[in-house]
Amino acid sequence: MANAIKQVINEVAEKVKMPSTPTRLRDLIRQIRAARTAAEERAVVNKECAYIRASFREEDSQWRCRNVAKLLYIHMLGYPAHFGQLECLNLIASPRFTDKRIGYLGAMLLLDERQDIHVLITNSLKNDLNNPVQFIVGLALCTLGAIASPEMSRDLASEVERLLKSTNAYLRKKAALCAFRIIGKVPELMEMFLPATRSLISDKNHGVLITGVTLIIEMCERSPDTLIHFKKEHREVVPSLVRILKNLIMAGYSPEHDVSGVSDPFLQVKILRLLRVLGHNDAEASEAMNDILAQVATNTETSKNVGNAILYETVLSIMHIKSESGLRVLAINILGRFLLNSDKNIRYVALNTLLRTVHADNSAVQRHRATILECLKDPDVSIKRRALELSFALINGSNIRAMMKELLAFLEKSDAEFKAQCSSGIVSATERFSPNRRWHIDTLLRVLIAAGNFLRDDVVSNTIQIISESTSLQGYAVGQLWRAVSCSSGSLQHDGQPGDLDLQGATLPISERQPLAQVASWCLGEYGDSLINGHTNANEQEEPVVAGEDEVVDFIQGILSSSQSTIITKQYALTALTKLSTRFSVTVGRIEDIVTRFGTHLNVELQQRGIEYAQLFTKHVALRPAIMERIPPMEHKSSQQGLTNGSSGGGGTLVSNGDDNMLMDDLSSFTTTSTSHSAPATKDSNSLLNLLGGLDNFDNGPSAPVFTNSKASTAPSTSNLDLLDLLGGLDLSGSTLSSAPISGPLMSTPTGSSTSSLVNNNLANLLSSPTTQMSAAVSNSSSFLIDGFLGTAPTPSPKLQNVTAYDKNGLKVDFSFDRPVDNPNLVIVTLTASSSYGSTLCDFLFQAAVPKTFQLQMMPASSTVINSGIPVTQVMRILNPTRAVLKMRIKLSFSRDGMTIQDQDEVKNLPSALWQ
């Protein structure tokens, strides 16, 4: 009893303390802005929230509107305001317009389709959609478009369809926008709104026109059938749009629609976008809009930003439809003028658009090559990156020398973040368009010198491969590399012209040019005798580079003893030094002493190499010349590295090309990795596991180990390691089936060699690369030796039929298959993703799921950006030990024109030959 009395007294006291009139919104804003610290701001907000809660409990309807308005402002500041949701519903039910306005605003801010309470608003929306006051109907339409769930959209779609036919232009405009949002939620309701679209694009009100065009664009992009419907009616739709656009261009000054001297640029942009959609792959519709596009391109004022926006949409429309060649040249010239604009945003847009259109009309873009190369000097990082990508796209056989001169100059002066991308791009371009092999080698050496340590692994391996292939230039290459690493002055020569390729960058310390040291070590190990004998000139007119045995050994010993040399570089150097023991005669004892010292090295890899190489000087002296002989020329393999790399995806059953974190532990619920996980599945992982929905027999059989790059816990047997004692550097601790990429050069021996030569060459190949890893299972010593060394090269597998796995939303994904004959249980799937609409797709993310009986590994994609004409490739390896029927579900995510699209599907047309 005493507690009840005390509570009543406290409530009365609180009522006395509460002001009779609540604080106005402007006063609350003034108090919050006057707070000097975050703590003071929180104190003001907490005090006001406490008062608003008390007012809600008292059901004070007089000041409910003001309190909700203040609560919405507090919500905008980031503070919790969920306790005002029911008050918003009360305001919506009020007959007064001012209350409804605040109530609907609160519903749009505080409610969404994930809130159960939003279902309560459906009846109020239906009542207000039939209200005689147009502004109340407009509020209901705005709220429905903002928070509509699929169920709410189905319930109220008929009301929206009725308002689309209203005689009130204000309501037609609002209804069209609401229909646009409803179609996004429930695409099957599209047919309901289709008849009303014809009247929308013939309306004279600009607001109705722009919303009607927006609605039609959404319909065409979401439904190919609807697009075909509008294309069949192009005799009515396209001329109507052309007439509206022509009137806008030729119309005089209209204060209602004028923006910086341009008549309604927003409507012009929307119409141009719709023309682009309707004219794609339609020659007749494209012919009807060619003239108006030319008029817009020539008559639009470029001094204001609104004019540039219209010209940009015009260019996109011209390049997207089947336009005339002269019109395409005009569009590219407009982009060329954009490159000269002082506004960085306009220059970036021009470069981005040229990158998308360069493959459609390369010759027209080539005219602006000098301006594009000038953008490489722009201080803005984004402009510089786009200009670099576009520069690589412009390279061909006729301009390779001039372009490489500019790109190499950029590589020398660029920041570290550009060196890896630029160097890989130069390597890919020179591989495709190099005029001769010597120029190719000189360019690669220039890249090694200029890029320093900011090089991808593919540059080192490609350079070694090119030098190995060029048997007549191997001595020349080792001579130029020796000049670079020994910091001598002078210059390389390009086709007999001195001074084209200097070696000033080679004066950097060894710690800043590790890739150069790796290539130099490999070449010295293979062709060091050419350097000693003076056979390092490409022709008789050049002076050869000569070095003594002690100088070469001193250089390699310096790499091995330097604390700044990486382990990979030391592995190259140690293998090279061991090889030189068969090519040198004076320094063999010194080499043996250096190699023997590595038997006690702290690094296990170097220690193993030191011990095993040392045995070639003691127990197996007779085998050393054969094992360390020069490897044969490497077979040519085109670089698969794109100009822009996606991030690694790691191995697993459900992986993506965007982030290693997508491989979550909870995926072990349907495919186990090498480490078991007992943690329960989280909500996010469950959403990923939904990819498996609808697949039958996915749970048959025990979980199989994932076919990944990670190391398994089972090591080879001791007997196998004893037999492979001489093979230093072979990592036999990997998983049973490992697909880790080989970072060093590894060669297959040509057929036709004798058995002895075959064994020696294979041993030499294995020892030539410090990072070579075995990719076959070690079952027993005899079978391993026979399969790994005496076996012949596998014959190519028969070609399997390609399939289209996905073709929707402007993205087409094709699968091509390859099955090695030596491993019929393995299927290599090459994914090719391309843009079917010709537009650029960004943030491309591909995921896949297979049943438990399969083992799936995904390699990283070549890029996360799909440009027009430049497909993105990604490789998947699927191991099918039980030869079961292959089923696969895929999930894709990408962005097009600023809109994120996510979709998932089941691949049902996989060829039966994959499991037979």
Side-chain angles (χ1 to χ4, degrees):
M1 186 67 181
N3 293 333
I5 295 174
K6 185 175 181 180
Q7 183 177 358
V8 171
I9 294 174
N10 291 335
E11 291 178 357
V12 172
E14 288 181 1
K15 290 182 179 180
V16 172
K17 292 180 181 179
M18 290 173 55
S20 58
T21 303
T23 306
R24 294 181 301 177
L25 176 61
R26 68 181 67 179
D27 295 332
L28 176 62
I29 295 174
R30 189 178 296 111
Q31 292 176 17
I32 291 177
R33 289 182 176 179
R36 297 182 178 180
T37 62
E40 292 182 9
E41 178 183 304
R42 285 195 298 269
V44 174
V45 170
N46 291 336
K47 180 180 178 181
E48 192 61 34
C49 286
Y51 172 78
I52 294 174
R53 282 193 183 94
S55 178
F56 288 165
R57 284 197 299 268
E58 295 296 324
E59 298 183 358
D60 186 2
S61 59
Q62 181 181 1
W63 305 111
R64 180 180 290 139
C65 182
R66 178 179 293 185
N67 288 333
V68 172
K70 291 188 293 183
L71 192 61
L72 294 181
Y73 177 72
I74 292 173
H75 169 74
M76 292 170 60
L77 295 178
Y79 295 94
H82 57 277
F83 57 89
Q85 294 173 348
L86 286 175
E87 298 301 318
C88 293
L89 299 182
N90 293 331
L91 287 176
I92 291 173
S94 173
R96 294 192 302 175
F97 174 76
T98 53
D99 289 348
K100 284 183 177 292
R101 183 176 57 182
I102 297 298
Y104 277 124
L105 179 60
M108 285 186 280
L109 290 176
L110 302 181
L111 301 180
D112 56 43
E113 59 179 282
R114 294 173 296 180
Q115 303 283 344
D116 294 336
I117 197 174
H118 90 286
V119 181
L120 302 176
I121 203 175
T122 304
N123 191 47
S124 297
L125 284 172
K126 187 170 185 178
N127 293 333
D128 287 340
L129 287 175
N130 292 280
N131 197 292
V133 181
Q134 64 173 359
F135 302 109
I136 293 179
V137 179
L139 286 175
L141 287 170
C142 289
T143 306
L144 177 59
I147 67 172
S149 63
E151 294 78 12
M152 188 184 295
S153 299
R154 292 186 180 94
D155 293 339
L156 300 177
S158 59
E159 300 293 334
V160 177
E161 190 264 342
R162 176 181 58 81
L163 291 172
L164 278 173
K165 302 175 183 178
S166 171
T167 57
N168 190 320
Y170 175 82
L171 294 181
R172 290 201 304 275
K173 175 180 66 175
K174 295 286 187 180
L177 287 177
C178 185
F180 167 82
R181 300 300 296 269
I182 288 177
I183 289 175
K185 295 289 184 180
V186 190
E188 55 264 27
L189 295 177
M190 190 181 304
E191 295 183 3
M192 178 183 295
F193 304 114
L194 196 58
T197 55
R198 183 175 301 178
S199 61
L200 293 178
I201 59 175
S202 60
D203 203 293
K204 295 183 179 181
N205 184 281
H206 283 211
V208 177
L209 269 176
I210 195 170
T211 53
V213 171
T214 303
L215 179 60
I216 295 175
I217 292 174
E218 179 71 9
M219 289 180 171
C220 293
E221 290 182 344
R222 286 191 173 271
S223 173
D225 295 335
T226 305
L227 177 60
I228 294 173
H229 168 77
F230 281 107
K231 282 188 174 183
K232 287 181 178 179
E233 296 185 357
H234 71 270
R235 296 179 180 177
E236 298 179 8
V237 177
V238 173
S240 177
L241 294 173
V242 169
R243 184 173 59 254
I244 296 171
L245 191 57
K246 187 174 183 180
N247 291 337
L248 289 173
I249 298 173
M250 302 303 178
Y253 175 73
S254 174
E256 185 180 358
H257 306 117
D258 184 84
V259 179
S260 300
V262 179
S263 179
D264 205 342
F266 303 101
L267 180 58
Q268 291 191 45
V269 166
K270 286 292 183 180
I271 293 176
L272 289 169
R273 189 170 298 176
L274 180 56
L275 290 175
R276 180 164 77 245
V277 174
L278 297 176
H280 182 62
N281 292 332
D282 192 327
E284 190 174 352
S286 300
E287 180 66 24
M289 61 184 74
N290 274 335
D291 291 341
I292 189 62
L293 291 176
Q295 291 182 33
V296 174
T298 54
N299 295 335
T300 303
E301 179 63 38
T302 60
S303 60
K304 300 296 178 62
N305 207 31
V306 290
N308 291 327
I310 295 173
L311 286 177
Y312 173 66
E313 288 295 334
T314 306
V315 169
L316 293 182
S317 299
I318 291 173
M319 302 306 296
H320 203 64
I321 67 174
K322 293 186 176 182
S323 56
E324 301 172 352
S325 59
L327 202 56
R328 289 178 175 267
V329 172
L330 175 62
I332 292 176
N333 289 340
I334 291 174
L335 296 177
R337 293 203 304 270
F338 282 178
L339 291 177
L340 301 175
N341 199 296
S342 58
D343 192 325
K344 293 183 178 181
N345 294 323
I346 295 178
R347 292 206 303 274
Y348 177 83
V349 166
L351 290 169
N352 203 32
T353 310
L354 285 172
L355 188 59
R356 281 190 270 171
T357 59
V358 63
H359 297 280
D361 197 340
N362 189 277
S363 59
V365 182
Q366 290 284 355
R367 299 190 185 100
H368 306 280
R369 190 175 65 200
T371 309
I372 295 169
L373 291 174
E374 281 296 317
C375 292
L376 291 173
K377 303 174 184 178
D378 196 283
D380 189 274
V381 175
S382 300
I383 293 177
K384 199 180 301 184
R385 181 173 288 109
R386 280 289 178 263
L388 181 62
E389 295 174 0
L390 183 55
S391 298
F392 284 125
L394 291 176
I395 296 177
N396 54 39
S398 60
N399 63 17
I400 180 69
R401 293 178 183 270
M403 292 294 291
M404 281 300 112
K405 183 178 179 181
E406 297 291 339
L407 290 172
L408 286 169
F410 171 77
L411 178 62
E412 292 176 354
K413 301 176 182 178
S414 63
D415 298 331
E417 59 182 312
F418 291 101
K419 287 186 180 293
Q421 178 185 357
C422 185
S423 59
S424 288
I426 291 175
V427 170
S428 299
T430 53
E431 183 179 349
R432 295 176 59 193
F433 304 112
S434 61
N436 56 67
R437 189 52 62 90
R438 177 176 172 179
W439 183 91
H440 192 178
I441 292 176
D442 285 347
T443 303
L444 292 177
L445 297 185
R446 178 74 174 271
V447 170
L448 290 171
I449 293 169
N453 287 339
F454 304 100
L455 279 174
R456 292 174 179 154
D457 293 337
D458 63 321
V459 178
V460 175
S461 58
N462 286 345
T463 305
I464 291 175
Q465 176 184 306
I466 295 299
I467 295 174
S468 175
E469 289 178 356
S470 309
T471 54
S472 61
L473 294 173
Q474 290 169 350
Y476 169 77
V478 75
Q480 300 306 319
L481 283 166
W482 176 253
R483 290 174 56 191
V485 298
S486 61
C487 305
S488 62
S489 61
S491 62
L492 292 176
Q493 296 178 352
H494 249 292
D495 298 335
Q497 299 177 5
D500 287 351
L501 194 59
D502 59 53
L503 292 175
Q504 294 178 358
T507 58
L508 296 173
I510 190 65
S511 61
E512 298 183 23
R513 49 188 177 93
Q514 300 284 329
L516 177 64
Q518 293 170 12
V519 176
S521 298
W522 188 91
C523 290
L524 288 173
E526 296 298 323
Y527 321 115
D529 50 342
S530 300
L531 186 63
I532 303 303
N533 300 328
H535 300 155
T536 55
N537 50 343
N539 51 63
E540 297 180 356
Q541 288 74 25
E542 297 179 2
E543 182 179 352
V545 179
V546 182
E549 292 186 12
D550 288 323
E551 294 180 83
V552 177
V553 174
D554 287 341
F555 165 71
I556 297 180
Q557 186 178 12
I559 294 178
L560 292 171
S561 60
S562 175
S563 60
Q564 297 177 328
S565 297
T566 64
I567 297 298
I568 298 296
T569 304
K570 290 184 178 181
Q571 291 172 5
Y572 273 97
L574 187 59
T575 302
L577 194 62
T578 308
K579 285 199 167 190
L580 287 176
S581 65
T582 63
R583 293 151 176 75
F584 291 175
S585 58
V586 180
T587 57
V588 176
R590 183 182 173 190
I591 291 174
E592 178 182 358
D593 181 61
I594 297 173
V595 171
T596 304
R597 278 185 247 161
F598 275 83
T600 58
H601 198 276
L602 293 176
N603 183 269
V604 177
E605 175 69 19
L606 290 175
Q607 183 185 114
Q608 181 181 354
R609 288 178 182 272
I611 293 173
E612 294 173 353
Y613 289 167
Q615 292 184 11
L616 296 177
F617 292 91
T618 55
K619 297 180 181 179
H620 309 284
V621 178
L623 289 176
R624 179 157 51 89
I627 292 176
M628 296 298 175
E629 70 178 8
R630 183 176 299 179
I631 68 171
M634 299 182 183
E635 63 183 17
H636 180 73
K637 181 179 180 182
S638 298
S639 173
Q640 298 297 325
Q641 188 74 23
L643 298 183
T644 304
N645 283 359
S647 52
S648 177
T653 298
L654 180 60
V655 293
S656 68
N657 61 340
D659 192 355
D660 284 334
N661 293 332
M662 295 301 296
L663 263 180
M664 290 181 284
D665 296 342
D666 302 290
L667 296 180
S668 59
S669 60
F670 63 96
T671 299
T672 58
T673 60
S674 56
T675 304
S676 60
H677 302 283
S678 58
T682 62
K683 183 177 180 180
D684 291 337
S685 64
N686 287 334
S687 64
L688 289 175
L689 293 179
N690 286 336
L691 279 172
L692 295 176
L695 293 185
D696 300 330
N697 301 324
F698 259 38
D699 296 326
N700 53 352
S703 299
V706 176
F707 185 46
T708 68
N709 294 340
S710 58
K711 293 185 177 181
S713 58
T714 305
S717 62
T718 306
S719 60
N720 292 330
L721 290 177
D722 293 337
L723 285 172
L724 299 175
D725 192 29
L726 288 175
L727 305 179
L730 298 186
D731 184 6
L732 299 181
S733 60
S735 58
T736 304
L737 285 171
S738 172
S739 63
I742 300 175
S743 57
L746 178 62
M747 274 313 304
S748 60
T749 304
T751 58
S753 304
S754 63
T755 303
S756 175
S757 175
L758 183 62
V759 175
N760 293 335
N761 283 339
N762 278 282
L763 288 171
N765 294 346
L766 290 167
L767 293 172
S768 65
S769 173
T771 57
T772 302
Q773 298 184 359
M774 296 299 293
S775 60
V778 182
S779 57
N780 56 66
S781 56
S782 60
S783 64
F784 174 75
L785 288 175
I786 292 174
D787 294 341
F789 295 103
L790 299 182
T792 57
T795 58
S797 61
K799 191 69 176 178
L800 298 172
Q801 182 181 3
N802 297 347
V803 300
T804 299
Y806 184 86
D807 191 3
K808 290 186 290 185
N809 300 317
L811 174 65
K812 184 178 181 182
V813 177
D814 295 323
F815 284 174
S816 60
F817 306 94
D818 187 21
R819 187 164 64 186
V821 175
D822 56 344
N823 189 0
N825 294 333
L826 177 64
V827 177
I828 301 175
V829 184
T830 302
L831 175 153
T832 304
S834 57
S835 174
S836 55
Y837 288 170
S839 58
T840 297
L841 308 180
C842 304
D843 302 326
F844 172 66
L845 190 67
F846 177 84
Q847 299 171 285
V850 295
K852 290 182 178 181
T853 54
F854 294 84
Q855 301 165 9
L856 171 65
Q857 178 203 21
M858 293 184 66
M859 307 302 289
S862 60
S863 177
T864 58
V865 179
I866 306 176
N867 291 309
S868 176
I870 310 178
V872 168
T873 59
Q874 188 169 5
V875 176
M876 296 182 289
R877 300 185 180 187
I878 304 175
L879 190 64
N880 186 3
T882 61
R883 307 301 288 271
V885 177
L886 176 60
K887 296 183 179 180
M888 179 184 295
R889 289 189 69 85
I890 59 176
K891 184 175 182 180
L892 305 104
S893 174
F894 56 94
S895 299
R896 188 187 72 221
D897 298 330
M899 180 176 63
T900 301
I901 300 175
Q902 293 184 351
D903 197 8
Q904 61 181 4
D905 200 0
E906 180 179 352
V907 184
K908 300 180 180 179
N909 55 346
L910 294 172
S912 59
L914 294 178
W915 55 82
Q916 292 177 351

